Amino acid sequence: RDPFCSEVKPRILLMGLRRSGKSSIQKVVFHKMSPNETLFLESTNKICREDVSNSSFVSFQIWDFPGQIDFFDPTFDYEMIFRGTGALIFVIDSQDDYVEALSRLHLTVTRAYKVNPDINFEVFIHKVDGLSDDHKIEKQRDIHKRANDDLADASLERIHLSFYLTSIYDHSIFEAFSKVVQKLIPQLPTLENLLNIFISNSGIEKAFLFDVVSKIYIATDSSPVDMQTYELCCDMIDVVIDISCIYGLSEDVAGSPYDKESMAIIHLNNTTVMYLKEVTKFLALVCFLREESFERKGLIDYNFHCFKKAIEEVFDLRLKVQRNRKLLRQR
Ligand code: GDP
């Protein structure tokens, strides 16, 4: 019984002109590559690069432009792909001239919308690390205006585009991905509610539910998120996984660096404790609490146990609903 089989995974398509940064985004977010190493990524000529990240909560595909994707090619079944897609991320290189990218964006969005009006359209204005803050805002305003003008000219104002400023050299790419993924999780309000209940009953200040592989947070309680806390969580996940990979796995027994037993406690020098625990095979809970509150660890662990059970039920229920819908459709 796997509540995270591919049926319920949010499906994401990453598109954009060649060299806009798609492979780099994939490598940095899902394969822990360091941003500098992406300088040496080789260009590929494949139309579609599927990421079979079985280990992640998210599943996604990459498509290249231009040339490789021809919407008029009858052998290329884009309709089927758009139908199964939850979010389409279009990457625009902000350090390059973006006229061609904007026209591709328009073509793609209008095609995809016709096939599946429920897709979320997400535009990453990428490689903004080289730009000053003023420049970033100016670029975003310009791209936003042009893309929406194109839609208005085609009388398609009802298509909504969301914009994000991203770079692989900081956490902005993880933050943008987190927002894109969160929009695709119908259970999000329930998850937030469960997190709120869990933290208020356990004396915890902040809690995040993380996809361990990508370090995307798929939910948090309703108190505001500050970037520093988020970055600390990412660092903690890295430490736990790296140490487990290097010293935790024995060569003769096949195992995963992340399993049911996975947990970690880090005492920071400002009387705060960070507490990480496994929730499902993809997800971990990372909490921040005061040292005094951590003295009641037994209570926290008991509440956590209830929280974990509730999460499993939420996803299991959704799977059942989806299966039933499918059966009804087939009748
Ligand atoms: P793709 O063809 O769309 O897959 O593009 P690549 O991932 O191969 O990236 C093309 C180039 O852009 C590489 O040299 C990357 O190092 C660079 N790049 C990707 N993302 C960023 C970014 O956020 N900032 C900067 N400055 N360069 C980036």
Side-chain angles (χ1 to χ4, degrees), residues 16-25 35-44 49 62 64 91 93 95 126-130 166-169:
L17 296 185
R18 287 189 68 189
R19 309 298 292 162
S20 56
K22 301 179 297 299
S23 321
S24 311
I25 293 174
N36 288 320
E37 284 175 81
T38 66
L39 290 170
F40 312 109
L41 277 181
E42 278 186 40
S43 252
T44 47
R49 281 163 273 160
I62 296 187
D64 257 326
V91 184
D93 181 347
Q95 297 188 4
H126 191 53
K127 308 192 193 178
V128 292
D129 43 272
T166 58
S167 161
I168 53 170
Y169 286 93

PDB file of all heavy atoms in Angstrom, residues 16-25 35-44 49 62 64 91 93 95 126-130 166-169, ligand 1:
ATOM      1  N   GLY A  16      11.081  25.810 -22.027  1.00  0.00           N
ATOM      2  CA  GLY A  16      11.768  27.078 -22.271  1.00  0.00           C
ATOM      3  C   GLY A  16      12.766  26.900 -23.394  1.00  0.00           C
ATOM      4  O   GLY A  16      13.039  25.770 -23.811  1.00  0.00           O
ATOM      5  N   LEU A  17      13.321  28.016 -23.889  1.00  0.00           N
ATOM      6  CA  LEU A  17      14.309  27.931 -24.954  1.00  0.00           C
ATOM      7  C   LEU A  17      15.526  27.156 -24.456  1.00  0.00           C
ATOM      8  O   LEU A  17      15.749  27.038 -23.253  1.00  0.00           O
ATOM      9  CB  LEU A  17      14.771  29.330 -25.362  1.00  0.00           C
ATOM     10  CG  LEU A  17      13.745  30.271 -25.977  1.00  0.00           C
ATOM     11  CD1 LEU A  17      14.434  31.554 -26.409  1.00  0.00           C
ATOM     12  CD2 LEU A  17      13.041  29.635 -27.162  1.00  0.00           C
ATOM     13  N   ARG A  18      16.295  26.687 -25.420  1.00  0.00           N
ATOM     14  CA  ARG A  18      17.540  26.013 -25.028  1.00  0.00           C
ATOM     15  C   ARG A  18      18.446  27.014 -24.318  1.00  0.00           C
ATOM     16  O   ARG A  18      18.423  28.195 -24.596  1.00  0.00           O
ATOM     17  CB  ARG A  18      18.235  25.476 -26.271  1.00  0.00           C
ATOM     18  CG  ARG A  18      17.504  24.262 -26.805  1.00  0.00           C
ATOM     19  CD  ARG A  18      18.276  23.587 -27.892  1.00  0.00           C
ATOM     20  NE  ARG A  18      19.493  22.985 -27.373  1.00  0.00           N
ATOM     21  CZ  ARG A  18      20.424  22.479 -28.155  1.00  0.00           C
ATOM     22  NH1 ARG A  18      20.301  22.518 -29.457  1.00  0.00           N
ATOM     23  NH2 ARG A  18      21.483  21.931 -27.632  1.00  0.00           N
ATOM     24  N   ARG A  19      19.212  26.527 -23.407  1.00  0.00           N
ATOM     25  CA  ARG A  19      20.158  27.299 -22.591  1.00  0.00           C
ATOM     26  C   ARG A  19      19.480  28.258 -21.621  1.00  0.00           C
ATOM     27  O   ARG A  19      20.141  29.149 -21.072  1.00  0.00           O
ATOM     28  CB  ARG A  19      21.157  28.092 -23.474  1.00  0.00           C
ATOM     29  CG  ARG A  19      21.862  27.292 -24.542  1.00  0.00           C
ATOM     30  CD  ARG A  19      22.717  26.191 -23.988  1.00  0.00           C
ATOM     31  NE  ARG A  19      23.893  26.661 -23.248  1.00  0.00           N
ATOM     32  CZ  ARG A  19      24.591  25.901 -22.402  1.00  0.00           C
ATOM     33  NH1 ARG A  19      24.223  24.662 -22.170  1.00  0.00           N
ATOM     34  NH2 ARG A  19      25.643  26.382 -21.782  1.00  0.00           N
ATOM     35  N   SER A  20      18.174  28.129 -21.461  1.00  0.00           N
ATOM     36  CA  SER A  20      17.518  29.043 -20.517  1.00  0.00           C
ATOM     37  C   SER A  20      17.803  28.629 -19.074  1.00  0.00           C
ATOM     38  O   SER A  20      17.650  29.436 -18.151  1.00  0.00           O
ATOM     39  CB  SER A  20      16.003  29.093 -20.777  1.00  0.00           C
ATOM     40  OG  SER A  20      15.443  27.804 -20.710  1.00  0.00           O
ATOM     41  N   GLY A  21      18.208  27.355 -18.890  1.00  0.00           N
ATOM     42  CA  GLY A  21      18.600  26.930 -17.535  1.00  0.00           C
ATOM     43  C   GLY A  21      17.801  25.759 -16.988  1.00  0.00           C
ATOM     44  O   GLY A  21      17.869  25.460 -15.798  1.00  0.00           O
ATOM     45  N   LYS A  22      17.069  25.065 -17.856  1.00  0.00           N
ATOM     46  CA  LYS A  22      16.190  23.987 -17.384  1.00  0.00           C
ATOM     47  C   LYS A  22      16.949  22.824 -16.748  1.00  0.00           C
ATOM     48  O   LYS A  22      16.603  22.376 -15.651  1.00  0.00           O
ATOM     49  CB  LYS A  22      15.323  23.457 -18.551  1.00  0.00           C
ATOM     50  CG  LYS A  22      14.444  24.522 -19.178  1.00  0.00           C
ATOM     51  CD  LYS A  22      13.647  23.978 -20.325  1.00  0.00           C
ATOM     52  CE  LYS A  22      14.510  23.493 -21.488  1.00  0.00           C
ATOM     53  NZ  LYS A  22      15.354  24.526 -22.099  1.00  0.00           N
ATOM     54  N   SER A  23      17.993  22.338 -17.460  1.00  0.00           N
ATOM     55  CA  SER A  23      18.735  21.194 -16.894  1.00  0.00           C
ATOM     56  C   SER A  23      19.398  21.593 -15.591  1.00  0.00           C
ATOM     57  O   SER A  23      19.457  20.806 -14.647  1.00  0.00           O
ATOM     58  CB  SER A  23      19.830  20.719 -17.835  1.00  0.00           C
ATOM     59  OG  SER A  23      19.395  20.761 -19.145  1.00  0.00           O
ATOM     60  N   SER A  24      19.890  22.833 -15.548  1.00  0.00           N
ATOM     61  CA  SER A  24      20.546  23.279 -14.314  1.00  0.00           C
ATOM     62  C   SER A  24      19.553  23.271 -13.163  1.00  0.00           C
ATOM     63  O   SER A  24      19.879  22.841 -12.061  1.00  0.00           O
ATOM     64  CB  SER A  24      21.096  24.696 -14.481  1.00  0.00           C
ATOM     65  OG  SER A  24      21.841  24.807 -15.655  1.00  0.00           O
ATOM     66  N   ILE A  25      18.346  23.759 -13.423  1.00  0.00           N
ATOM     67  CA  ILE A  25      17.321  23.789 -12.378  1.00  0.00           C
ATOM     68  C   ILE A  25      17.053  22.370 -11.894  1.00  0.00           C
ATOM     69  O   ILE A  25      17.035  22.082 -10.697  1.00  0.00           O
ATOM     70  CB  ILE A  25      16.023  24.451 -12.902  1.00  0.00           C
ATOM     71  CG1 ILE A  25      16.255  25.928 -13.171  1.00  0.00           C
ATOM     72  CG2 ILE A  25      14.864  24.243 -11.914  1.00  0.00           C
ATOM     73  CD1 ILE A  25      15.084  26.641 -13.828  1.00  0.00           C
ATOM     74  N   PRO A  35      25.553  24.741  -7.955  1.00  0.00           N
ATOM     75  CA  PRO A  35      25.289  25.635  -9.094  1.00  0.00           C
ATOM     76  C   PRO A  35      26.488  25.799 -10.029  1.00  0.00           C
ATOM     77  O   PRO A  35      26.321  25.854 -11.250  1.00  0.00           O
ATOM     78  CB  PRO A  35      24.917  26.952  -8.426  1.00  0.00           C
ATOM     79  CG  PRO A  35      24.384  26.573  -7.094  1.00  0.00           C
ATOM     80  CD  PRO A  35      25.112  25.327  -6.688  1.00  0.00           C
ATOM     81  N   ASN A  36      27.702  25.862  -9.457  1.00  0.00           N
ATOM     82  CA  ASN A  36      28.872  26.067 -10.325  1.00  0.00           C
ATOM     83  C   ASN A  36      29.099  24.930 -11.309  1.00  0.00           C
ATOM     84  O   ASN A  36      29.580  25.135 -12.413  1.00  0.00           O
ATOM     85  CB  ASN A  36      30.123  26.252  -9.479  1.00  0.00           C
ATOM     86  CG  ASN A  36      30.117  27.598  -8.801  1.00  0.00           C
ATOM     87  OD1 ASN A  36      29.718  28.584  -9.427  1.00  0.00           O
ATOM     88  ND2 ASN A  36      30.513  27.639  -7.552  1.00  0.00           N
ATOM     89  N   GLU A  37      28.737  23.732 -10.881  1.00  0.00           N
ATOM     90  CA  GLU A  37      28.947  22.580 -11.773  1.00  0.00           C
ATOM     91  C   GLU A  37      28.075  22.644 -13.021  1.00  0.00           C
ATOM     92  O   GLU A  37      28.380  22.019 -14.024  1.00  0.00           O
ATOM     93  CB  GLU A  37      28.629  21.270 -11.032  1.00  0.00           C
ATOM     94  CG  GLU A  37      29.696  20.839 -10.061  1.00  0.00           C
ATOM     95  CD  GLU A  37      29.225  19.601  -9.299  1.00  0.00           C
ATOM     96  OE1 GLU A  37      29.338  18.508  -9.849  1.00  0.00           O
ATOM     97  OE2 GLU A  37      28.722  19.767  -8.177  1.00  0.00           O
ATOM     98  N   THR A  38      26.962  23.391 -12.958  1.00  0.00           N
ATOM     99  CA  THR A  38      26.054  23.429 -14.116  1.00  0.00           C
ATOM    100  C   THR A  38      26.698  24.124 -15.311  1.00  0.00           C
ATOM    101  O   THR A  38      26.243  23.988 -16.436  1.00  0.00           O
ATOM    102  CB  THR A  38      24.732  24.152 -13.790  1.00  0.00           C
ATOM    103  OG1 THR A  38      24.997  25.537 -13.541  1.00  0.00           O
ATOM    104  CG2 THR A  38      24.026  23.529 -12.611  1.00  0.00           C
ATOM    105  N   LEU A  39      27.766  24.879 -15.054  1.00  0.00           N
ATOM    106  CA  LEU A  39      28.467  25.540 -16.162  1.00  0.00           C
ATOM    107  C   LEU A  39      28.940  24.524 -17.181  1.00  0.00           C
ATOM    108  O   LEU A  39      29.082  24.808 -18.369  1.00  0.00           O
ATOM    109  CB  LEU A  39      29.682  26.304 -15.629  1.00  0.00           C
ATOM    110  CG  LEU A  39      29.381  27.550 -14.801  1.00  0.00           C
ATOM    111  CD1 LEU A  39      30.643  28.071 -14.147  1.00  0.00           C
ATOM    112  CD2 LEU A  39      28.761  28.619 -15.691  1.00  0.00           C
ATOM    113  N   PHE A  40      29.176  23.299 -16.705  1.00  0.00           N
ATOM    114  CA  PHE A  40      29.741  22.284 -17.599  1.00  0.00           C
ATOM    115  C   PHE A  40      28.705  21.283 -18.081  1.00  0.00           C
ATOM    116  O   PHE A  40      29.047  20.251 -18.660  1.00  0.00           O
ATOM    117  CB  PHE A  40      30.900  21.567 -16.898  1.00  0.00           C
ATOM    118  CG  PHE A  40      31.851  22.524 -16.269  1.00  0.00           C
ATOM    119  CD1 PHE A  40      31.932  22.664 -14.891  1.00  0.00           C
ATOM    120  CD2 PHE A  40      32.647  23.339 -17.070  1.00  0.00           C
ATOM    121  CE1 PHE A  40      32.789  23.581 -14.310  1.00  0.00           C
ATOM    122  CE2 PHE A  40      33.512  24.259 -16.498  1.00  0.00           C
ATOM    123  CZ  PHE A  40      33.588  24.385 -15.117  1.00  0.00           C
ATOM    124  N   LEU A  41      27.441  21.559 -17.861  1.00  0.00           N
ATOM    125  CA  LEU A  41      26.398  20.645 -18.359  1.00  0.00           C
ATOM    126  C   LEU A  41      26.406  20.682 -19.874  1.00  0.00           C
ATOM    127  O   LEU A  41      26.459  21.746 -20.479  1.00  0.00           O
ATOM    128  CB  LEU A  41      25.016  21.114 -17.890  1.00  0.00           C
ATOM    129  CG  LEU A  41      24.562  20.728 -16.492  1.00  0.00           C
ATOM    130  CD1 LEU A  41      23.161  21.279 -16.254  1.00  0.00           C
ATOM    131  CD2 LEU A  41      24.571  19.231 -16.341  1.00  0.00           C
ATOM    132  N   GLU A  42      26.308  19.501 -20.445  1.00  0.00           N
ATOM    133  CA  GLU A  42      26.297  19.489 -21.906  1.00  0.00           C
ATOM    134  C   GLU A  42      24.904  19.736 -22.430  1.00  0.00           C
ATOM    135  O   GLU A  42      23.928  19.293 -21.855  1.00  0.00           O
ATOM    136  CB  GLU A  42      26.786  18.133 -22.394  1.00  0.00           C
ATOM    137  CG  GLU A  42      28.299  18.066 -22.408  1.00  0.00           C
ATOM    138  CD  GLU A  42      28.795  16.784 -23.012  1.00  0.00           C
ATOM    139  OE1 GLU A  42      28.189  16.357 -24.018  1.00  0.00           O
ATOM    140  OE2 GLU A  42      29.751  16.224 -22.475  1.00  0.00           O
ATOM    141  N   SER A  43      24.830  20.425 -23.545  1.00  0.00           N
ATOM    142  CA  SER A  43      23.550  20.641 -24.194  1.00  0.00           C
ATOM    143  C   SER A  43      23.036  19.325 -24.749  1.00  0.00           C
ATOM    144  O   SER A  43      23.799  18.569 -25.339  1.00  0.00           O
ATOM    145  CB  SER A  43      23.741  21.595 -25.359  1.00  0.00           C
ATOM    146  OG  SER A  43      23.190  22.814 -25.051  1.00  0.00           O
ATOM    147  N   THR A  44      21.769  19.053 -24.565  1.00  0.00           N
ATOM    148  CA  THR A  44      21.226  17.828 -25.159  1.00  0.00           C
ATOM    149  C   THR A  44      20.279  18.209 -26.283  1.00  0.00           C
ATOM    150  O   THR A  44      19.731  19.302 -26.295  1.00  0.00           O
ATOM    151  CB  THR A  44      20.429  16.996 -24.139  1.00  0.00           C
ATOM    152  OG1 THR A  44      19.562  17.868 -23.461  1.00  0.00           O
ATOM    153  CG2 THR A  44      21.324  16.276 -23.188  1.00  0.00           C
ATOM    154  N   ARG A  49      13.144  15.214 -21.708  1.00  0.00           N
ATOM    155  CA  ARG A  49      13.981  14.484 -20.777  1.00  0.00           C
ATOM    156  C   ARG A  49      13.138  14.157 -19.564  1.00  0.00           C
ATOM    157  O   ARG A  49      12.756  15.034 -18.815  1.00  0.00           O
ATOM    158  CB  ARG A  49      15.177  15.338 -20.383  1.00  0.00           C
ATOM    159  CG  ARG A  49      16.257  15.342 -21.445  1.00  0.00           C
ATOM    160  CD  ARG A  49      17.201  16.485 -21.212  1.00  0.00           C
ATOM    161  NE  ARG A  49      16.716  17.703 -21.848  1.00  0.00           N
ATOM    162  CZ  ARG A  49      17.107  18.908 -21.509  1.00  0.00           C
ATOM    163  NH1 ARG A  49      17.948  19.081 -20.525  1.00  0.00           N
ATOM    164  NH2 ARG A  49      16.652  19.952 -22.155  1.00  0.00           N
ATOM    165  N   ILE A  62      11.087  17.553 -18.712  1.00  0.00           N
ATOM    166  CA  ILE A  62      11.650  18.768 -19.297  1.00  0.00           C
ATOM    167  C   ILE A  62      11.443  18.752 -20.805  1.00  0.00           C
ATOM    168  O   ILE A  62      11.671  17.729 -21.437  1.00  0.00           O
ATOM    169  CB  ILE A  62      13.167  18.843 -19.019  1.00  0.00           C
ATOM    170  CG1 ILE A  62      13.409  18.946 -17.528  1.00  0.00           C
ATOM    171  CG2 ILE A  62      13.788  20.004 -19.734  1.00  0.00           C
ATOM    172  CD1 ILE A  62      14.858  19.183 -17.192  1.00  0.00           C
ATOM    173  N   ASP A  64      12.400  20.983 -24.442  1.00  0.00           N
ATOM    174  CA  ASP A  64      13.253  22.030 -25.003  1.00  0.00           C
ATOM    175  C   ASP A  64      12.594  22.779 -26.155  1.00  0.00           C
ATOM    176  O   ASP A  64      11.837  22.212 -26.903  1.00  0.00           O
ATOM    177  CB  ASP A  64      14.527  21.393 -25.567  1.00  0.00           C
ATOM    178  CG  ASP A  64      15.699  21.594 -24.645  1.00  0.00           C
ATOM    179  OD1 ASP A  64      15.742  22.644 -24.007  1.00  0.00           O
ATOM    180  OD2 ASP A  64      16.544  20.692 -24.574  1.00  0.00           O
ATOM    181  N   VAL A  91      10.602  28.667 -18.471  1.00  0.00           N
ATOM    182  CA  VAL A  91      11.806  29.353 -17.993  1.00  0.00           C
ATOM    183  C   VAL A  91      12.271  30.385 -19.014  1.00  0.00           C
ATOM    184  O   VAL A  91      12.456  30.065 -20.187  1.00  0.00           O
ATOM    185  CB  VAL A  91      12.947  28.337 -17.742  1.00  0.00           C
ATOM    186  CG1 VAL A  91      14.166  29.025 -17.148  1.00  0.00           C
ATOM    187  CG2 VAL A  91      12.478  27.209 -16.842  1.00  0.00           C
ATOM    188  N   ASP A  93      15.291  33.190 -19.773  1.00  0.00           N
ATOM    189  CA  ASP A  93      16.619  33.666 -19.375  1.00  0.00           C
ATOM    190  C   ASP A  93      16.598  35.197 -19.318  1.00  0.00           C
ATOM    191  O   ASP A  93      16.522  35.852 -20.354  1.00  0.00           O
ATOM    192  CB  ASP A  93      17.647  33.163 -20.409  1.00  0.00           C
ATOM    193  CG  ASP A  93      19.073  33.596 -20.069  1.00  0.00           C
ATOM    194  OD1 ASP A  93      19.233  34.478 -19.191  1.00  0.00           O
ATOM    195  OD2 ASP A  93      20.007  33.050 -20.677  1.00  0.00           O
ATOM    196  N   GLN A  95      18.924  37.163 -18.601  1.00  0.00           N
ATOM    197  CA  GLN A  95      20.169  37.828 -19.010  1.00  0.00           C
ATOM    198  C   GLN A  95      20.307  37.870 -20.528  1.00  0.00           C
ATOM    199  O   GLN A  95      21.289  38.346 -21.067  1.00  0.00           O
ATOM    200  CB  GLN A  95      21.369  37.092 -18.403  1.00  0.00           C
ATOM    201  CG  GLN A  95      21.357  37.136 -16.883  1.00  0.00           C
ATOM    202  CD  GLN A  95      22.637  36.590 -16.279  1.00  0.00           C
ATOM    203  OE1 GLN A  95      23.575  36.232 -16.992  1.00  0.00           O
ATOM    204  NE2 GLN A  95      22.681  36.534 -14.959  1.00  0.00           N
ATOM    205  N   HIS A 126      14.444  33.765 -15.004  1.00  0.00           N
ATOM    206  CA  HIS A 126      15.558  33.036 -14.411  1.00  0.00           C
ATOM    207  C   HIS A 126      16.911  33.735 -14.605  1.00  0.00           C
ATOM    208  O   HIS A 126      17.041  34.607 -15.448  1.00  0.00           O
ATOM    209  CB  HIS A 126      15.573  31.631 -15.052  1.00  0.00           C
ATOM    210  CG  HIS A 126      16.481  30.670 -14.364  1.00  0.00           C
ATOM    211  ND1 HIS A 126      16.425  30.415 -13.025  1.00  0.00           N
ATOM    212  CD2 HIS A 126      17.492  29.887 -14.849  1.00  0.00           C
ATOM    213  CE1 HIS A 126      17.349  29.521 -12.704  1.00  0.00           C
ATOM    214  NE2 HIS A 126      18.019  29.201 -13.788  1.00  0.00           N
ATOM    215  N   LYS A 127      17.902  33.307 -13.845  1.00  0.00           N
ATOM    216  CA  LYS A 127      19.273  33.852 -13.853  1.00  0.00           C
ATOM    217  C   LYS A 127      19.294  35.308 -13.403  1.00  0.00           C
ATOM    218  O   LYS A 127      20.034  36.117 -13.954  1.00  0.00           O
ATOM    219  CB  LYS A 127      19.927  33.738 -15.238  1.00  0.00           C
ATOM    220  CG  LYS A 127      19.890  32.340 -15.850  1.00  0.00           C
ATOM    221  CD  LYS A 127      20.801  32.238 -17.065  1.00  0.00           C
ATOM    222  CE  LYS A 127      20.524  30.970 -17.849  1.00  0.00           C
ATOM    223  NZ  LYS A 127      21.330  30.837 -19.061  1.00  0.00           N
ATOM    224  N   VAL A 128      18.461  35.654 -12.425  1.00  0.00           N
ATOM    225  CA  VAL A 128      18.432  37.047 -11.970  1.00  0.00           C
ATOM    226  C   VAL A 128      19.575  37.379 -11.011  1.00  0.00           C
ATOM    227  O   VAL A 128      19.670  38.502 -10.530  1.00  0.00           O
ATOM    228  CB  VAL A 128      17.079  37.418 -11.303  1.00  0.00           C
ATOM    229  CG1 VAL A 128      15.950  37.423 -12.314  1.00  0.00           C
ATOM    230  CG2 VAL A 128      16.759  36.480 -10.154  1.00  0.00           C
ATOM    231  N   ASP A 129      20.463  36.395 -10.760  1.00  0.00           N
ATOM    232  CA  ASP A 129      21.577  36.663  -9.839  1.00  0.00           C
ATOM    233  C   ASP A 129      22.478  37.777 -10.325  1.00  0.00           C
ATOM    234  O   ASP A 129      23.111  38.464  -9.538  1.00  0.00           O
ATOM    235  CB  ASP A 129      22.375  35.374  -9.586  1.00  0.00           C
ATOM    236  CG  ASP A 129      22.602  34.579 -10.843  1.00  0.00           C
ATOM    237  OD1 ASP A 129      21.721  33.746 -11.187  1.00  0.00           O
ATOM    238  OD2 ASP A 129      23.631  34.784 -11.504  1.00  0.00           O
ATOM    239  N   GLY A 130      22.548  37.991 -11.635  1.00  0.00           N
ATOM    240  CA  GLY A 130      23.426  39.044 -12.163  1.00  0.00           C
ATOM    241  C   GLY A 130      22.802  40.430 -12.108  1.00  0.00           C
ATOM    242  O   GLY A 130      23.458  41.423 -12.424  1.00  0.00           O
ATOM    243  N   THR A 166      13.943  33.941 -10.288  1.00  0.00           N
ATOM    244  CA  THR A 166      14.681  32.781  -9.776  1.00  0.00           C
ATOM    245  C   THR A 166      16.154  32.783 -10.165  1.00  0.00           C
ATOM    246  O   THR A 166      16.562  33.401 -11.153  1.00  0.00           O
ATOM    247  CB  THR A 166      14.070  31.451 -10.303  1.00  0.00           C
ATOM    248  OG1 THR A 166      14.089  31.474 -11.734  1.00  0.00           O
ATOM    249  CG2 THR A 166      12.659  31.239  -9.816  1.00  0.00           C
ATOM    250  N   SER A 167      16.928  32.046  -9.364  1.00  0.00           N
ATOM    251  CA  SER A 167      18.336  31.822  -9.666  1.00  0.00           C
ATOM    252  C   SER A 167      18.744  30.533  -8.964  1.00  0.00           C
ATOM    253  O   SER A 167      18.242  30.226  -7.888  1.00  0.00           O
ATOM    254  CB  SER A 167      19.168  32.981  -9.119  1.00  0.00           C
ATOM    255  OG  SER A 167      20.521  32.575  -9.015  1.00  0.00           O
ATOM    256  N   ILE A 168      19.650  29.781  -9.597  1.00  0.00           N
ATOM    257  CA  ILE A 168      20.123  28.566  -8.924  1.00  0.00           C
ATOM    258  C   ILE A 168      21.210  28.883  -7.901  1.00  0.00           C
ATOM    259  O   ILE A 168      21.650  28.016  -7.167  1.00  0.00           O
ATOM    260  CB  ILE A 168      20.668  27.510  -9.926  1.00  0.00           C
ATOM    261  CG1 ILE A 168      21.728  28.115 -10.843  1.00  0.00           C
ATOM    262  CG2 ILE A 168      19.534  26.885 -10.716  1.00  0.00           C
ATOM    263  CD1 ILE A 168      22.479  27.080 -11.673  1.00  0.00           C
ATOM    264  N   TYR A 169      21.659  30.154  -7.874  1.00  0.00           N
ATOM    265  CA  TYR A 169      22.736  30.504  -6.953  1.00  0.00           C
ATOM    266  C   TYR A 169      22.243  30.898  -5.558  1.00  0.00           C
ATOM    267  O   TYR A 169      23.033  31.230  -4.691  1.00  0.00           O
ATOM    268  CB  TYR A 169      23.602  31.616  -7.547  1.00  0.00           C
ATOM    269  CG  TYR A 169      24.485  31.084  -8.653  1.00  0.00           C
ATOM    270  CD1 TYR A 169      24.076  31.134  -9.986  1.00  0.00           C
ATOM    271  CD2 TYR A 169      25.707  30.483  -8.358  1.00  0.00           C
ATOM    272  CE1 TYR A 169      24.870  30.617 -10.999  1.00  0.00           C
ATOM    273  CE2 TYR A 169      26.503  29.970  -9.359  1.00  0.00           C
ATOM    274  CZ  TYR A 169      26.086  30.035 -10.675  1.00  0.00           C
ATOM    275  OH  TYR A 169      26.868  29.517 -11.664  1.00  0.00           O
TER     276      TYR A 169
HETATM  277  P1  GDP B   1      18.912  24.211 -20.787  1.00  0.00           P
HETATM  278  O1  GDP B   1      19.361  24.067 -22.202  1.00  0.00           O
HETATM  279  O2  GDP B   1      17.643  25.015 -20.702  1.00  0.00           O
HETATM  280  O3  GDP B   1      18.773  22.909 -20.079  1.00  0.00           O
HETATM  281  O4  GDP B   1      19.999  25.122 -20.044  1.00  0.00           O
HETATM  282  P2  GDP B   1      21.217  24.670 -19.097  1.00  0.00           P
HETATM  283  O5  GDP B   1      20.687  24.140 -17.830  1.00  0.00           O
HETATM  284  O6  GDP B   1      22.145  23.823 -19.891  1.00  0.00           O
HETATM  285  O7  GDP B   1      21.885  26.066 -18.716  1.00  0.00           O
HETATM  286  C1  GDP B   1      22.559  26.887 -19.627  1.00  0.00           C
HETATM  287  C2  GDP B   1      23.580  27.735 -18.888  1.00  0.00           C
HETATM  288  O8  GDP B   1      22.931  28.644 -17.992  1.00  0.00           O
HETATM  289  C3  GDP B   1      24.559  26.930 -18.043  1.00  0.00           C
HETATM  290  O9  GDP B   1      25.854  27.379 -18.337  1.00  0.00           O
HETATM  291  C4  GDP B   1      24.193  27.269 -16.614  1.00  0.00           C
HETATM  292  O10 GDP B   1      25.325  27.274 -15.752  1.00  0.00           O
HETATM  293  C5  GDP B   1      23.581  28.641 -16.742  1.00  0.00           C
HETATM  294  N1  GDP B   1      22.597  28.915 -15.679  1.00  0.00           N
HETATM  295  C6  GDP B   1      21.522  28.136 -15.329  1.00  0.00           C
HETATM  296  N2  GDP B   1      20.845  28.695 -14.315  1.00  0.00           N
HETATM  297  C7  GDP B   1      21.481  29.853 -13.989  1.00  0.00           C
HETATM  298  C8  GDP B   1      21.257  30.888 -13.009  1.00  0.00           C
HETATM  299  O11 GDP B   1      20.319  30.868 -12.195  1.00  0.00           O
HETATM  300  N3  GDP B   1      22.125  31.942 -13.018  1.00  0.00           N
HETATM  301  C9  GDP B   1      23.177  32.009 -13.888  1.00  0.00           C
HETATM  302  N4  GDP B   1      23.962  33.091 -13.809  1.00  0.00           N
HETATM  303  N5  GDP B   1      23.414  31.057 -14.813  1.00  0.00           N
HETATM  304  C10 GDP B   1      22.591  29.987 -14.870  1.00  0.00           C
END
